[in-house]
């Protein structure tokens, strides 16, 4: 660590704790508290990377979060901010954008031919001919910036948190800390968010008194109960102070996204020091005054040996003191306030060597420090609707006036001594707390069922703060030479001049065309210089050009933080452990994990058709409907009639959306005088519950109906097959299963396997004699096992979803969403007798009526490939013979174990719907086969003798 | 994110509710013309200003309610429970 300065310089490093790391494979050491960049500089490594487009060598520019030149690869993580990320033991750090090595980069030839890589170069050069783009892309991809991504990187841990603070303070400098402290003392819950690693802001690299004051304020904040989030960024502000905070400091989590509903937001982001635009301004060894002070005072690093300081303000003067304290010789102080200036810097490829001043003299040096002014990071206030206004006297933008629930303090709105900044912060904190109390009271009062509100609403405090003064500052943006404006994107002032010459006259357009301000610094360093250069090129004032609109995020957030924890819920029936123990292959159907089969679905079909099978159909949506107006509701939502369903009856119904498209289907049973049980498709359960409530609440609030979802409260088991009556009969004593007493499409309630209050109905999705029983889920495992025990001699076996799908296809029952789609209006199903146009009203009725009237719609038909060994893929197209005209598609297809041939359902235009029509089906392989339309939807037992038996 | 006042639950994050779009009257299905019905299905005013909207408290009390939102400023006012007379305003929560 040859460039390390002796204590007391280096406030934030702990020299007793040595950290080992590697830099491009070389073993180096740093201290606890170092950033990667400070540790590298301490070891004399001052080139930290190469620029994006021209591959120019780059070193530390700002030595903080925004440093655009120090993006590195750390282990398998690309694009790490080396001037911000803390050094950790064992880190393997390497430079990005270099090939074959950092010191000799082949692509630096770009720098020589830089005039070919001006703004818009890629757009203009590689657009034509379009057919060559793949070749261009292949070459250009090798020049793309960024680190390398390891595709085998394990998924890191990210998280989210919701918070409800009264006051959020963005920025932990003197004003921000004072605001947080005052708000907390006034009784507010406060979050204080600082994007660097410690509170203090610019006091951290200031005088001894400054640093003592920072420590004192930070300690007071902690003592007052302020929640302090360091290494965290307020990334966005949205309506009603919905504030996103990216927290990089939560233990055990790479990054956490905090969604905070602040009642007031205090913007205390301070100012960001602007780089100066001149020839050679991106040479390693050229840095801002803040960078020099941070490196020396916080990290104890010596950034050079012989310095030129170009200063226009106190920060530059303070940098001179810092440099002197580090034993760096001051070759020249160039004071802008005295009319002095610099025009260019030059040097070797790796370091600044001399500076040319405005008066033509040159000064030898290896460090050039600039202090030319400040950018106000008004981003958060912008997001609250504020449009900043340029003040030429202070040479920076200021907020025009954010909304009442967003307040600004500190460097964002003015200048002052430490005590003045703290006083303004305190006043702002008190105001923020007062307004937060009013908002809190209103929110509480607006919550009708909340506990009683404490007292009357407090008075809304007016803003009576004494404003901060604005310090005069010379306007210093660009010298007489051209230099880099956007370091991350390698955009020079010359690029901006030529873009302006091409007619990109608005700052918003020039930003998008040149990509200036669009890099990882999000414009914090570049925007105002871009505006100033554009103003110069167009001979306008900065105020006339205006600034770009700052949008979220304030600083980039990782995608992992936005995604949070992987938290996809799954649902299972209470029988799932049995299924798993008995060899079920699981399938995910929506959120449900279900048994697809238990080994051989074809055998399950044969056993069910021959003996008896049982299937767990719990995911079937079940809604308990009670009240005198249930029939009216059913009549409104189903297409058929429900006013005369007797107690003990079950009816099939089809539902449409208001555009006439099939929405859902299922059976509904009348259990009692005013008591019904509705079933929906498994995927439609939540949707139909919502659908019913919407109709009841909006169109018919006078109807008396209670809707209760009971999907998982009842476990549903379908018992299907010729032996199902015998099997169920062995388990129930109080349900008369005689076909005359309990015919098809009827429902009975009774005791099954000793479990009371079971519901059993006779329906036939599989086409077999079958009973679907709904048993209280607490007893479902018992009932399931009893069915298997008692039916062993009847050949009972469990069957899975696949066997059920095969059997329903053999029977020709369509599935909503499989055989219908988002354009299938009800007549497509062919269930025209169920579409009762003589009812007064039902959802979707007008569209269905007009569709039936026009007759212009496809229909679902059953078809069988003429070669019964071929199973066309689902969604295979049906074409007009010998052409490419699409006339339909296969919607369901399977090999039927019962018929020993392939069977399908299809949607075809009416022209092709007549029984006996030959269809030409295009397989995925490109082969065309023929299939014949069948007379009935049912391929098997079209008369329904089996299920009615 | 907007805070939307559910009549039962009080101010809720908009993401905890379902937005059911502009409020519009359902034509009489027995007598309406295709134009009237399709206007109800598909056409929206999308005004710049006050707009009566349908919201559904899908992650809370499951109440459907109407509210007026100013599409430029995001201000909300006077939710009305469907089927009930307009109630008291929920107050300004800004």
């Amino acid at each position: 660590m040859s460039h390390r300065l002796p204590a007391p310089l280096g406030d934030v490093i702990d020299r007793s704790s040595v950290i080992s790391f590697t830099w491009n494979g070389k073993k180096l050491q740093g201290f606890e508290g170092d950033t990667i960049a400070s540790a590298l500089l301490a070891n004399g490594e001052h080139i930290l990377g190469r620029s994006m487009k021209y591959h120019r060598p780059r070193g530390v520019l700002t030595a903080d979060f925004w440093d655009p030149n120090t993006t590195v690869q750390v282990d398998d993580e690309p694009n790490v901010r080396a001037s911000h990320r803390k050094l950790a033991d064992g880190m393997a750090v390497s430079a990005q954008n270099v090939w074959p090595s950092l010191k000799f980069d082949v692509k630096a030839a770009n720098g020589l031919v830089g005039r070919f890589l001006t703004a818009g170069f890629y757009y203009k050069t590689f657009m034509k001919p379009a057919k060559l783009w793949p070749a261009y892309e292949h070459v250009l991809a090798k020049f793309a910036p960024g680190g390398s991504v390891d595709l085998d990187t394990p998924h890191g841990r990210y998280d989210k948190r919701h918070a409800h603070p009264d006051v959020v303070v963005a920025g932990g400098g003197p004003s921000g800390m004072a605001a947080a402290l005052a708000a907390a003392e006034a009784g507010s819950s406060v979050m204080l968010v600082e994007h660097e690693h410690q509170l203090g802001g610019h006091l951290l690299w200031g005088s001894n008194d400054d640093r003592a004051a920072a420590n004192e304020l930070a300690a007071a904040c902690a003592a007052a109960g302020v929640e302090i989030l360091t290494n965290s960024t307020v990334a966005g502000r949205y309506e009603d102070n919905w504030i996103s905070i990216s927290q990089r400091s939560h233990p055990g989590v790479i990054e956490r996204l905090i969604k905070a509903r602040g009642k007031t937001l205090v913007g205390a982001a301070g100012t960001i020091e602007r780089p100066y635009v001149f020839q050679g301004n991106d040479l390693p060894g050229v840095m801002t005054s803040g960078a020099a002070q941070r490196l020396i005072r916080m990290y104890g690093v010596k950034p050079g040996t012989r310095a030129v300081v170009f200063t226009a303000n106190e920060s530059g003067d303070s940098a001179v003191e810092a440099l002197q304290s580090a034993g760096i010789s001051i070759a020249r102080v160039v004071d802008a306030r005295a009319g002095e200036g610099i025009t260019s810097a030059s040097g070797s490829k790796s370091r600044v060597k001399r500076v040319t001043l405005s008066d033509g003299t040159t000064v030898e040096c290896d460090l050039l420090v600039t202090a030319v002014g400040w950018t106000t990071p008004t981003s958060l206030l912008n997001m609250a609707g504020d449009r900043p206004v340029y003040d030429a006297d202070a040479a920076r933008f200021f907020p025009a006036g954010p909304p009442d629930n967003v307040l600004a303090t500190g460097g964002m709105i003015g200048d002052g001594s430490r005590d003045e900044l703290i006083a303004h912060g305190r006043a702002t904190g008190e105001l923020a707390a007062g307004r937060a109390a009013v908002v809190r009271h209103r929110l509480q009062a607006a919550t009708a069922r909340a506990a009683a509100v404490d007292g009357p609403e407090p008075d809304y405090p007016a803003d009576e703060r004494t404003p901060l003064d604005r310090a005069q500052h010379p306007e210093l943006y660009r010298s007489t030479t051209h230099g880099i404006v956007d370091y991350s994107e390698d955009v020079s002032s010359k690029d901006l001049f030529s873009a302006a010459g091409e007619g990109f006259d608005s700052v918003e357009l020039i930003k998008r065309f040149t990509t200036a301000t669009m890099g990882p610094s999000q414009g914090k360093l570049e925007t105002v210089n871009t505006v100033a250069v554009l103003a110069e090129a167009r001979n306008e004032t900065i105020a006339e050009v205006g600034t770009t609109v700052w949008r979220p995020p304030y600083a980039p957030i990782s995608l992992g933080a936005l995604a949070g924890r992987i938290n996809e819920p799954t649902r299972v029936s209470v029988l799932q452990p049995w299924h798993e123990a008995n060899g079920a292959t699981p399938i995910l159907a929506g959120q449900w994990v279900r048994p697809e089969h238990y080994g051989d679905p074809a055998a399950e079909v044969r056993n069910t058709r021959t003996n008896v099978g049982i299937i767990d159909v719990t995911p079937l949506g079940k809604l308990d409907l009670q009240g005198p107006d249930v029939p009216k509701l059913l009549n409104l939502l189903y297409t058929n009639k429900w006013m005369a369903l007797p107690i003990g009856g079950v009816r099939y119904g089809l539902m449409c959306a208001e555009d006439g498209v099939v929405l859902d289907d299922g059976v509904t049973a009348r259990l009692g005088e005013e008591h019904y049980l509705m079933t929906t498709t498994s995927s439609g359960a939540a949707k139909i519950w919502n659908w019913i409530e919407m109709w009841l609440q909006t169109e018919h609030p006078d109807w008396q109906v209670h809707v209760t979802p009971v999907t998982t409260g009842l476990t549903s088991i379908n018992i299907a097959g010729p032996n199902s009556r015998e099997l169920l009969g062995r388990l129930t004593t109080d349900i008369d299963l005689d076909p005359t007493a309990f015919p098809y499409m009827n429902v009975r309630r009774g005791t099954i396997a000793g479990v009371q209050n079971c519901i059993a109905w006779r329906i036939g999705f599989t086409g077999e004699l079958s009973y679907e029983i709904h048993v209280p889920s607490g007893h479902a495992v018992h009932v399931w096992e009893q069915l298997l025990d008692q039916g062993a001699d009847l050949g009972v076996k469990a069957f899975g979803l696949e066997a059920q799908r095969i059997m329903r296809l053999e029977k020709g029952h369509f599935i909503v969403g499989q055989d219908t789609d988002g354009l299938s209006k009800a007549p497509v199903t062919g269930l025209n007798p169920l579409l009762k146009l003589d009812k007064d009203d039902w959802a979707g009725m007008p569209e269905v009526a007009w569709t039936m009237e026009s007759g212009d719609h496809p229909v679902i038909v059953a078809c069988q490939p003429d070669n019964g060994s071929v199973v066309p893929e689902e969604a295979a197209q049906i074409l007009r013979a010998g052409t490419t005209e699409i006339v339909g598609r296969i919607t369901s297809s399977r090999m039927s174990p019962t018929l020993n041939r392939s069977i399908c359902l299809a949607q075809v235009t009416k022209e092709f719907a007549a029984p006996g029509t030959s269809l030409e089906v295009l397989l995925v392989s490109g082969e065309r086969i023929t299939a014949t339309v069948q007379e009935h939807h049912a391929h098997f037992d079209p008369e329904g003798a089996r299920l009615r038996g | 994110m907007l805070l939307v006042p559910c009549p039962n639950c009080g101010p809720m994050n908009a993401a905890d509710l379902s937005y059911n779009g502009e409020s519009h009257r359902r034509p009489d299905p027995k007598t309406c013309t295709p134009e009237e019905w399709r206007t109800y299905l598909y056409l929206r005013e999308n005004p710049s200003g006050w707009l009566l909207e349908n919201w559904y408290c899908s992650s809370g009390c499951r109440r459907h309610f109407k509210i007026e939102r100013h599409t430029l400023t995001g201000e909300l006012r006077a939710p009305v429970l469907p089927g009930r007379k307009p109630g008291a305003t929920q107050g300004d929560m800004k």
Side-chain angles (χ1 to χ4, degrees), chain A residues 576 578-588 593-605 614-616 784 797-806 894:
Chain A
Q576 186 63 20
W578 186 95
H579 302 319
E580 284 168 15
N582 286 272
T585 298
I587 184 173
L588 194 65
V593 180
R594 307 185 63 175
E596 185 175 19
H597 56 77
Y598 301 86
D600 182 357
E604 290 166 19
V605 170
I614 58 174
I615 178 172
D616 176 4
W784 179 264
K797 286 202 167 63
F799 65 99
L801 197 56
E802 176 60 14
Q804 188 194 42
R805 282 181 176 164
I806 294 170
R894 286 290 189 281

Side-chain angles (χ1 to χ4, degrees), chain A residues 717 731 752-753 755 773 775 779-787:
Chain A
I717 301 167
L731 268 69
I752 297 172
V755 178
I773 61 173
V775 306
H779 302 291
V781 175
H782 164 74
V783 173
W784 179 264
E785 288 176 345
Q786 280 295 298
L787 285 165

Side-chain angles (χ1 to χ4, degrees), chain A residues 181-395:
Chain A
L181 179 60
E185 285 172 354
S188 282
S189 63
V190 182
M191 285 176 116
L192 174 59
V193 188
E194 167 54 46
H195 78 153
E196 291 294 348
H197 296 275
Q198 51 277 312
L199 294 178
H202 70 270
L203 300 184
L204 289 173
W205 53 91
S207 66
N208 289 343
D209 282 355
D210 282 346
R211 284 173 285 168
N215 290 338
E216 200 178 303
L217 269 174
C221 282
V226 172
E227 182 178 0
I228 297 165
L229 301 169
T230 52
N231 193 14
S232 303
T233 305
V234 175
R237 184 273 179 193
Y238 306 85
E239 292 100 332
D240 294 342
N241 274 343
W242 178 249
I243 294 161
S244 61
I245 299 167
S246 149
Q247 184 188 10
R248 298 174 296 267
S249 55
H250 190 61
V253 176
I254 296 169
E255 190 174 342
R256 182 161 75 156
L257 184 66
I258 301 176
K259 302 174 177 184
R261 179 68 77 180
K263 291 164 191 74
T264 45
L265 169 65
V266 175
T271 54
I272 293 174
E273 192 172 15
R274 265 197 330 266
Y276 190 47
V277 181
F278 58 96
Q279 185 183 323
N281 67 343
D282 66 332
L283 281 167
V286 179
M287 62 180 66
T288 63
S289 68
Q293 294 175 79
R294 281 187 277 275
L295 289 172
I296 294 166
R297 291 194 170 132
M298 292 173 68
Y299 300 104
V301 168
K302 191 176 179 182
T305 54
R306 185 178 154 83
V308 171
V309 179
F310 178 43
T311 173
N313 54 44
E314 285 173 10
S315 178
D317 305 342
S318 170
V320 172
E321 285 171 35
L323 293 166
Q324 284 167 336
S325 74
I328 297 168
S329 67
I330 307 292
R332 181 75 184 261
V333 174
V334 184
D335 195 329
R337 292 159 295 191
E340 299 174 333
I342 58 171
T343 53
S344 67
S346 62
S348 69
K349 279 179 186 168
S350 60
R351 184 96 208 191
V352 61
K353 283 222 168 92
R354 69 191 63 81
V355 178
T356 305
L357 310 186
S358 303
D359 60 11
T361 57
T362 61
V363 184
E364 303 285 319
C365 67
D366 65 355
L367 180 63
L368 170 56
V369 174
T370 65
V372 296
W374 312 102
T375 291
T376 315
T378 51
S379 185
L380 281 175
L381 308 182
N382 254 200
M383 295 174 208
D386 183 72
R387 293 289 170 266
V389 177
Y390 185 68
D391 180 341
D393 290 337

Side-chain angles (χ1 to χ4, degrees), chain A residues 360-617:
Chain A
T361 57
T362 61
V363 184
E364 303 285 319
C365 67
D366 65 355
L367 180 63
L368 170 56
V369 174
T370 65
V372 296
W374 312 102
T375 291
T376 315
T378 51
S379 185
L380 281 175
L381 308 182
N382 254 200
M383 295 174 208
D386 183 72
R387 293 289 170 266
V389 177
Y390 185 68
D391 180 341
D393 290 337
R396 65 188 208 253
F397 283 87
F398 288 97
D404 281 358
N405 57 4
V406 179
L407 303 166
T409 184
M412 297 182 79
I413 55 163
D415 305 285
S417 67
R418 186 181 71 226
D419 288 343
E420 285 166 338
L421 292 172
I422 289 171
H424 192 273
R426 285 204 70 96
T428 305
E430 282 162 19
L431 182 60
R435 290 187 175 174
V438 177
V439 175
R440 185 174 56 209
H441 191 280
R442 288 179 185 172
L443 287 170
Q444 211 172 6
T447 306
R449 293 178 188 175
V453 178
D454 302 331
E457 183 175 304
D459 289 334
Y460 194 79
D463 186 352
E464 287 163 352
R465 292 173 292 170
T466 309
L468 285 171
D469 289 336
R470 294 176 179 182
Q472 298 257 320
H473 197 289
E475 286 185 282
L476 283 172
Y477 297 99
R478 187 178 80 90
S479 179
T480 51
T481 53
H482 283 298
I484 294 293
V485 173
D486 188 321
Y487 294 76
S488 332
E489 298 283 306
D490 247 2
V491 179
S492 71
S493 52
K494 201 171 177 183
D495 292 327
L496 294 174
F497 265 77
S498 53
E502 287 186 57
F504 290 92
D505 53 354
S506 133
V507 65
E508 293 285 3
L509 287 178
I510 210 165
K511 159 184 166 184
R512 283 157 181 81
F513 181 62
T514 63
T515 72
T517 77
M518 292 173 79
S521 316
Q522 288 288 292
K524 299 296 181 296
L525 303 174
E526 308 90 353
T527 294
V528 181
N529 280 344
T530 302
V531 169
V533 170
L534 179 61
E536 194 187 341
R538 291 188 47 77
N539 206 14
E540 292 177 345
T541 65
I542 290 175
E544 281 166 338
V545 170
T547 184
T548 55
V549 175
W550 303 75
R551 295 187 178 81
Y554 185 82
I557 302 182
S558 69
L559 291 176
L562 292 176
R565 264 187 241 189
I566 294 175
N567 189 15
E568 181 67 26
T570 55
R571 306 177 75 186
V572 291
S573 113
V574 295
L575 298 173
Q576 186 63 20
W578 186 95
H579 302 319
E580 284 168 15
N582 286 272
T585 298
I587 184 173
L588 194 65
Q591 288 184 336
W592 289 89
V593 180
R594 307 185 63 175
E596 185 175 19
H597 56 77
Y598 301 86
D600 182 357
E604 290 166 19
V605 170
R606 284 190 287 269
N607 184 64
T608 303
R609 293 250 185 257
T610 313
N611 300 311
V612 58
I614 58 174
I615 178 172
D616 176 4
V617 290

Side-chain angles (χ1 to χ4, degrees), chain A residues 238-240 242 261 442-443 446-449 658-659 689-690 693-695 697 699 701 837 839-842 845-847 850, chain B residues 1-3 7-11 13 26 29-30 32-34 37-38 40-42 56 62-64 82-83 90 92-94:
Chain A
Y238 306 85
E239 292 100 332
D240 294 342
W242 178 249
R261 179 68 77 180
R442 288 179 185 172
L443 287 170
T447 306
R449 293 178 188 175
E658 286 279 69
D659 56 3
W689 182 27
N690 179 5
E693 288 192 342
M694 193 270 286
W695 282 96
Q697 291 184 37
E699 290 290 327
L837 299 179
K839 289 200 290 183
D840 283 341
D841 186 11
W842 44 273
M845 182 175 74
E847 286 293 346
W850 296 323
Chain B
M1 189 191 318
L2 279 176
L3 274 177
N8 288 338
C9 304
N13 281 343
R26 184 171 183 259
K30 283 306 249 193
C32 66
T33 64
W37 189 257
R38 283 159 193 166
Y40 153 67
L41 286 180
Y42 305 119
Y56 173 48
R62 304 184 70 83
R63 202 59 164 119
H64 287 264
Q90 297 291 324
D92 178 18
M93 296 182 311
K94 303 279 168 177

Side-chain angles (χ1 to χ4, degrees), chain A residues 60 149 193 315 431 578 617 626 632 671 697 774 883 928:
Chain A
V60 165
V149 174
V193 188
S315 178
L431 182 60
W578 186 95
V617 290
Q626 302 204 37
K632 287 186 194 164
L671 302 175
Q697 291 184 37
H774 307 283
T883 73
R928 294 183 182 217

